[in-house]
Amino acid sequence: MSIARIVPYLSFQGNAEEALHFYAEVFGGDVTELRRYEDMPGAQIPEHYRTKVLHARLKLGDAWLFISDVFPRDGVLPERGAVSLMVEFSAESDLDAVYTRLVKEAKVHMPLQKTFWGAKYAKLTDKFGITWDLNCQL
């Protein structure tokens, strides 16, 4: 088997571009690709959806996030409760900075704190409904 990596692919209902730029700012990432539904040859896309995100790539250090708006015919997204994204930090200051930016308008499940497993950790669901586990071994 030759799996190079597993990349989280986040789907949104019309606000993917806002989420893309939010995560780029939160994590200090670079948007390396942004394609819109209007870029897809021959596709019949509703006028109001033509400028929505078909596919975007966000580079976060050595990691990636892929982001898109769900195709209009696919309907409503399921709940995301069964999946969270774990981000491991090597520097406590980076964890603190990301938490400060990500926590705005978020539902905090566990506030940022030192833990019994020797780490600084937080769990929250951000304003886009994505659940994050943030961890830095101390």
Side-chain angles (χ1 to χ4, degrees), residues 87-98:
V87 182
E88 287 282 344
F89 293 88
S90 55
E92 187 177 352
S93 60
D94 291 338
L95 167 63
D96 293 341
V98 166

Side-chain angles (χ1 to χ4, degrees), residues 31-121:
V31 177
T32 64
E33 182 179 3
L34 176 57
R35 296 187 184 271
R36 301 184 186 283
Y37 278 97
E38 65 188 0
D39 299 331
M40 194 169 26
Q44 295 190 359
I45 306 297
E47 188 62 36
H48 74 283
Y49 223 76
R50 294 184 61 72
T51 60
K52 299 300 181 186
V53 176
L54 171 65
H55 176 71
R57 292 173 181 246
L58 180 59
K59 185 154 179 48
L60 306 169
D62 291 334
W64 291 89
L65 278 181
F66 291 176
I67 293 174
S68 72
D69 284 306
V70 68
F71 195 75
R73 72 167 183 253
D74 293 340
V76 178
L77 293 171
E79 281 294 318
R80 299 180 196 267
V83 175
S84 66
L85 300 178
M86 169 62 87
V87 182
E88 287 282 344
F89 293 88
S90 55
E92 187 177 352
S93 60
D94 291 338
L95 167 63
D96 293 341
V98 166
Y99 179 81
T100 298
R101 293 188 294 261
L102 199 55
V103 75
K104 295 175 185 168
E105 300 179 58
K107 177 182 178 186
V108 176
H109 304 287
M110 183 173 170
L112 186 61
Q113 60 190 276
K114 292 185 178 177
T115 65
F116 68 89
W117 63 84
K120 194 169 185 181
Y121 172 85

